[in-house]
């Protein structure tokens, strides 16, 4: 299976390359207007692209940590542990013309799904792309529950960090009017 190229996001205002087999969750259930959510057809993996208000009070690595902890709080995570935070080279981004700083964070959270008591360990990889001229933090989250990574012979196979990185680096802004008048 090939990745889906130039997949439109947010009504065509952005586009990206989606990993093989990605299912648009908005075809299955309501998704907030500021999010695009995709799930893997055979595992519990998911990818979320969010347009968030710029958190100007935090900068650099602290901004990446802020969003990671915020996601943990929203999900009611019992454990939130950052494993690494690295700057992401702007040269590699399709958004390099409007992104002023970018970070990749990897960490673990212990989260119980809706209506479930047992919390599961989830590895999260997040890319934070800061677009201050649009007052926006663009957050891409790759959720990888430990139990979701199945055998490599699944069709399509479980998504990899390479799939996540391709989505992040290929994200392109096609219509800045999504942010309103500038």
């Amino acid at each position: 299976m090939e990745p889906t190229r130039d997949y439109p996001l947010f009504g065509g205002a952005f586009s990206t390359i989606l990993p093989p087999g990605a299912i648009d969750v908005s075809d299955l259930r309501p998704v907030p207007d500021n999010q695009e959510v995709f799930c893997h057809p055979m595992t519990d993996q998911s990818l979320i692209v969010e347009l968030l208000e710029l958190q100007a009070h935090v900068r650099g690595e602290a901004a990446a940590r802020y969003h990671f902890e915020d996601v943990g709080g929203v999900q009611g995570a019992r454990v939130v542990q950052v494993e690494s935070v690295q700057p992401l080279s702007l040269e590699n981004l399709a958004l390099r013309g409007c992104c002023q700083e970018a970070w990749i964070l990897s960490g673990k959270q212990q989260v119980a799904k809706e209506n479930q008591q047992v919390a599961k360990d989830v590895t999260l990889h997040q890319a934070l792309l800061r677009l201050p001229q649009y007052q926006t933090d663009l957050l891409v989250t790759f959720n990888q529950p430990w139990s979701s990574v199945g055998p490599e012979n699944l069709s399509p196979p479980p998504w990899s960090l390479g799939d996540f990185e391709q989505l992040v680096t290929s994200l392109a802004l096609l219509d800045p009017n999504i942010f309103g008048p500038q």
Side-chain angles (χ1 to χ4, degrees):
M1 259 187 173
E2 289 293 310
T4 305
R5 300 202 171 275
D6 300 324
Y7 189 88
L9 302 175
F10 304 106
F14 286 84
S15 72
T16 194
I17 298 174
L18 290 180
I23 295 170
D24 188 335
V25 172
S26 68
D27 292 339
L28 309 173
R29 64 170 171 81
V31 170
D33 289 344
N34 71 317
Q35 293 182 350
E36 294 280 358
V37 182
F38 302 93
C39 64
H40 189 284
M42 305 294 286
T43 71
D44 288 335
Q45 293 174 311
S46 64
L47 289 160
I48 303 166
V49 181
E50 294 181 88
L51 297 175
L52 302 169
E53 182 179 342
L54 180 72
Q55 298 301 311
H57 66 283
V58 286
R59 297 193 186 286
E61 182 179 319
R65 289 175 182 274
Y66 172 89
H67 284 291
F68 180 75
E69 290 167 5
D70 187 55
V71 167
V74 168
Q75 293 182 343
R78 297 178 186 162
V79 175
V80 176
Q81 175 186 346
V82 173
E83 294 187 338
S84 69
V85 183
Q86 301 292 325
L88 183 60
S89 172
L90 299 181
E91 294 172 6
N92 299 330
L93 301 177
L95 282 172
R96 65 186 157 273
C98 58
C99 182
Q100 286 195 354
E101 71 177 291
W103 296 88
I104 292 277
L105 180 146
S106 293
K108 291 187 174 30
Q109 295 185 357
Q110 207 173 63
V111 181
K113 279 191 166 182
E114 293 177 36
N115 304 320
Q116 292 184 359
Q117 296 295 327
V118 179
K120 292 186 178 180
D121 291 323
V122 179
T123 297
L124 277 86
H125 303 284
Q126 288 186 324
L128 174 61
L129 309 177
R130 308 206 78 192
L131 314 174
Q133 71 273 37
Y134 300 119
Q135 293 300 301
T136 300
D137 278 341
L138 194 157
L139 185 67
V140 183
T141 303
F142 176 27
N143 291 299
Q144 197 168 19
W146 289 2
S147 61
S148 77
V149 180
E152 292 297 322
N153 61 355
L154 282 180
S155 181
W159 295 331
S160 67
L161 263 179
D163 293 321
F164 168 68
E165 290 167 2
Q166 184 175 47
L167 184 151
V168 170
T169 57
S170 69
L171 261 170
L173 176 61
L174 305 177
D175 184 4
N177 291 322
I178 189 172
F179 301 110
Q182 299 301 315

